[in-house]
């Protein structure tokens, strides 16, 4: 069983914002595979379950807001008895150029409060993650920047990155070694 987590904030006002790029990946994957999701308060998430090539896949978008994402992830992991190695998290990263992907098998939170909360509640950082670059703008406060929408040029770049993320999910679900997936997508510009 695989768990795919997209990080973001719930609510229409956060749709298509930089901080919600993880949600955008999950939404696009569900759309591509014609899978419905629903809000399930037991898991503090919008959740979908499907089977892809014989592998059960759970996709979630925590409804806890970014800084408490770990609450939702922990509930799903405990309920479905998911191994840490079978978790893949998609998250925005202000330290990467817009659209740049950085895949890691494990690691620190890099100052990202969503990852920090997941690490804290899982008591581990041994899960896979894909950081999606959203760049930064030193001319404006960080919270306003990450909660702002992509401009047209950035949106095109992000759409391309999301398409790569859908392939990453497929490779992950199909059992391709994550080191091979990392080699493919960490080297792309």
């Amino acid at each position: 069983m695989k768990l795919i987590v997209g990080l973001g904030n719930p609510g229409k006002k956060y749709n298509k914002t930089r901080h919600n790029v993880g949600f955008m990946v999950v939404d696009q994957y569900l759309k591509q595979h014609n899978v419905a999701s629903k809000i399930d308060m037991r898991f503090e998430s919008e959740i979908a379950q499907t089977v892809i090539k014989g592998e059960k896949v759970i996709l979630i978008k925590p409804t806890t807001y970014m800084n408490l994402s770990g609450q939702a992830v922990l509930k799903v992991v405990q309920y479905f008895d998911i191994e840490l190695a079978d978790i893949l998290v998609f998250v925005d990263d202000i330290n990467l150029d817009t659209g740049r992907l950085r895949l890691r098998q494990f690691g620190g939170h890099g100052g990202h409060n969503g990852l920090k909360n997941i690490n804290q509640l899982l008591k581990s950082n041994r899960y896979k993650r894909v950081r999606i670059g959203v760049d930064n703008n030193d001319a404006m406060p960080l919270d306003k920047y990450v909660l702002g929408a992509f401009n047209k040029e950035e949106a095109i770049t992000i759409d391309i990155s999301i398409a790569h993320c859908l392939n990453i999910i497929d490779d992950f679900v199909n059992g391709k070694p994550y080191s091979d997936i990392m080699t493919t997508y960490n080297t792309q510009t």
Side-chain angles (χ1 to χ4, degrees):
M1 184 181 309
K2 304 290 189 196
L3 173 61
I4 309 300
V5 181
L7 296 188
N9 288 312
K12 287 185 180 180
K13 74 178 189 175
Y14 298 110
N15 283 352
K16 305 287 185 184
T17 62
R18 292 175 182 88
H19 220 24
N20 272 34
V21 73
F23 275 17
M24 294 164 65
V25 170
V26 169
D27 287 339
Q28 193 60 38
Y29 194 81
L30 295 175
K31 182 178 178 183
Q32 181 184 56
H33 290 274
N34 198 27
V35 175
S37 62
K38 65 177 182 171
I39 302 290
D40 190 327
M41 295 317 296
R42 289 178 301 167
F43 303 118
E44 296 184 75
S45 296
E46 183 175 334
I47 187 168
Q49 297 182 52
T50 190
V51 176
I52 298 174
K53 293 191 178 178
E55 180 80 40
K56 185 170 184 177
V57 181
I58 298 168
L59 299 103
I60 68 167
K61 298 182 340 187
T63 57
T64 56
Y65 290 91
M66 183 66 80
N67 294 355
L68 301 176
S69 298
Q71 292 175 188
V73 173
L74 180 63
K75 286 182 178 190
V76 172
V77 165
Q78 289 178 333
Y79 184 84
F80 291 100
D81 195 26
I82 298 170
E83 298 290 328
L84 292 178
D86 292 325
I87 302 171
L88 179 59
V89 177
F90 290 86
V91 61
D92 63 290
D93 191 324
I94 61 167
N95 297 309
L96 296 173
D97 292 340
T98 299
R100 179 92 176 154
L101 301 178
R102 174 88 32 89
L103 288 71
R104 294 288 180 256
Q105 294 208 48
F106 56 88
H109 54 75
H112 194 284
N113 288 330
L115 291 178
K116 185 186 296 184
N117 191 247
I118 293 171
N119 290 357
Q120 179 183 15
L121 294 180
L122 291 182
K123 295 181 174 62
S124 178
N125 64 5
R126 309 290 296 181
Y127 57 88
K128 295 161 183 66
R129 75 271 323 264
V130 176
R131 293 176 177 268
I132 304 165
V134 297
D135 215 336
N136 198 352
N137 182 346
D138 294 332
M140 62 191 311
L142 182 60
D143 60 333
K144 290 195 184 325
Y145 178 75
V146 296
L147 296 177
F150 293 105
N151 65 37
K152 285 184 181 182
E153 185 179 303
E154 291 170 332
I156 291 168
T157 302
I158 287 296
D159 285 345
I160 293 167
S161 296
I162 288 173
H164 290 312
C165 290
L166 303 186
N167 293 330
I168 291 167
I169 295 171
D170 284 336
D171 287 346
F172 178 66
V173 169
N174 292 326
K176 185 173 183 177
Y178 200 69
S179 57
D180 293 348
I181 301 171
M182 288 171 53
T183 298
T184 299
Y185 293 96
N186 279 338
T187 58
Q188 291 189 358
T189 57

